[in-house]
Structures are given as C-alpha cells and as structure tokens.
C-alpha cells in the first residue's frame, strides 16, 4: 500500500497541488462574495422596510435550494438569462456564494438583533453618531457572537466545493477522481484527498480561534469559539 501511495499520490503531487490551489481560490472568493451578499441582504431586511420582503425571499431561496441545483442553474441558465458568468470558475464561485449568503444573512441578523438595544442607545447618549456606535459598540460584539456560525459556514463552503467538479472545475476533487479513473485504485488517492480536506477545516478553525482571541483582547470582550 505504501508503494501505491508513493506512486499514486506522491507521483501526482503536482496535479493534486494544482487542484488544491483551485479549491482554495474558489472557496475564498465564494466565501467573501457570500459575506458581502449576506450582509447586504441582512441590512436591507433590518433597515429598509419596503424591500424587506424581497430580502426575505432572497434569503429563503438561497437557503432552500440544494447546492448541486444552484451549480447547474448558475452554470447553464445564467449565461442565457443574464449573459454571465462566462467561465465555469465564475459559475462555481457564484453558486457557492449564493447558498452561503442565505445562511450568513440570518447569522448577521441574529447577531445584530441579539445585542441589547441599550448599548447602542448609551453610545448615542455619550455623543457617538450612528456610524460610530455601529463600528465601535455593535460590530465588535456582533462579530464575536457570530464568529462560530461564520466559521461553520466557511467549513460548509469548503466541503460543498467538492461538488464544483461536476461543472468541470479542476479542483482538488476533480484531480483526485482524474487520478482514480486513470489507475482504478481509489483507496490511497481518496484517502489523501479526505485528509487534505480535514487539514483545511482544522486550519480554518485554528485561524478563527486566533482571530476571536485578538478581538477579545482588543475590545475587552468575553466569550469565544
């Protein structure tokens, strides 16, 4: 088995590394886009009453649609309907971002609404304007409260990204299956791929804990991930 691992995994290390790089690009881009879309949907739902129904419909649609369906819908239907995306990478990023944004919008809403309103009112009473109160009082506490859910959603993005191979994005899973189909020996290759995903999730969790600790020290907050 060690000989097979060396031949199949180490011998194809450049192919696996290239797939890992694509996976990282897709996950980072999709998560950042999902954060922006989710925050916009959240703020519209909270502060723009006449668009609240639209934001709610968007959130529920993104949460209720399976990622596999979203991948195929964005990749095959969007170019005909909207003229974009024009690459499979773009389609994969948008599809992952759409699903994540629905869950992140709810995470942001719960984090903001969960803070006692008296803290914001106290900030305004001591002379802060709305922007300062949000940035200095509301946001740090909300971020720390939301951090576990946000990290969990990033982990979901990483795991869901394994499906982008169905639209021919040459990610880590795509390259792993390419090696398997070439040699018909899945044990070593797929075990290696699984361990790489486990390492990615652990790295994300460790980075999140470090960020949360820095946030607590900077703003003197309690709690953690």
């Amino acid at each position: 088995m060690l000989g097979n691992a060396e031949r199949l995994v180490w011998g194809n290390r450049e192919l696996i590394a290239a797939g890992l790089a694509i996976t990282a690009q897709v996950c980072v881009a999709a998560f950042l886009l999902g954060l922006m879309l989710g925050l916009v949907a959240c703020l519209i739902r909270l502060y723009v009453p006449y668009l609240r129904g639209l934001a709610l419909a968007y959130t529920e649609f993104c949460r209720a649609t399976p990622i596999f369906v979203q991948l195929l819908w964005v990749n095959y239907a969007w170019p005909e309907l909207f003229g974009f995306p024009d690459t499979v990478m773009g389609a994969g990023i948008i599809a992952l971002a759409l699903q994540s944004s629905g869950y992140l919008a709810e995470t942001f809403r719960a984090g903001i609404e969960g803070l006692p309103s008296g803290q914001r009112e106290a900030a305004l009473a001591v002379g802060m304007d709305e922007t300062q109160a949000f940035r200095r009082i509301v946001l740090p506490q909300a971020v720390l409260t939301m951090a576990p859910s946000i990290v969990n959603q990033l982990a979901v993005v990483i795991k869901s990204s394994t499906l982008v191979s169905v639209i021919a994005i040459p990610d880590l899973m795509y390259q792993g299956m390419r090696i398997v189909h070439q040699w018909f020996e899945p044990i070593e290759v797929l075990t290696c791929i699984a361990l790489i995903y486990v390492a990615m999730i652990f790295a994300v969790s460790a980075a999140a804990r470090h960020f949360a600790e820095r946030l607590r020290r900077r703003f003197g907050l309690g709690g953690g991930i």
Side-chain angles (χ1 to χ4, degrees), residues 14-92:
E14 293 182 0
L15 203 60
I16 293 172
L20 178 59
I22 294 295
T23 292
Q25 292 174 32
V26 169
C27 291
V28 170
F31 185 67
L32 292 177
L33 181 58
L35 281 173
M36 290 187 290
L37 293 174
L39 182 58
V40 169
C42 168
L43 295 177
I44 289 175
R45 184 173 176 182
L46 291 178
Y47 302 116
V48 187
Y50 59 90
L51 292 178
R52 187 168 296 156
L54 181 63
L56 179 59
Y58 169 84
T59 300
E60 293 303 318
F61 175 82
C62 292
R63 294 173 66 194
T65 312
I67 182 59
F68 184 76
V69 174
Q70 288 182 350
L71 280 166
L72 298 180
W73 179 53
V74 172
N75 188 57
Y76 295 113
W78 276 39
E80 298 293 330
L81 295 173
F82 309 119
F84 75 96
D86 55 3
T87 66
V88 291
M89 279 282 288

Side-chain angles (χ1 to χ4, degrees), residues 111-204:
I112 293 173
E113 289 185 337
L115 293 178
S117 59
Q119 297 192 26
R120 172 181 164 277
E121 293 169 358
L124 297 176
V126 298
M128 292 186 185
D129 58 30
E130 288 281 358
T131 302
Q132 289 175 323
F134 184 82
R135 181 170 57 87
R136 297 181 181 181
I137 305 300
V138 175
L139 187 60
Q141 296 181 81
V143 167
L144 194 59
T145 301
M146 298 182 296
S149 296
I150 293 175
V151 173
N152 181 67
Q153 190 55 44
L154 177 54
V156 170
V157 170
I158 293 173
K159 288 183 280 189
S160 297
S161 72
T162 57
L163 290 173
V164 301
S165 59
V166 302
I167 58 173
I169 295 178
D171 70 324
L172 180 60
M173 195 66 198
Y174 179 96
Q175 301 293 13
M177 292 307 299
R178 180 179 170 185
I179 299 169
V180 169
H181 291 154
Q182 180 179 358
W183 296 99
F184 297 101
E185 296 186 64
I187 296 176
E188 295 82 3
V189 176
L190 295 183
T191 300
C192 174
I193 298 300
L195 291 175
I196 291 173
Y197 278 106
V198 170
M200 291 172 66
I201 299 299
F202 271 102
V204 165

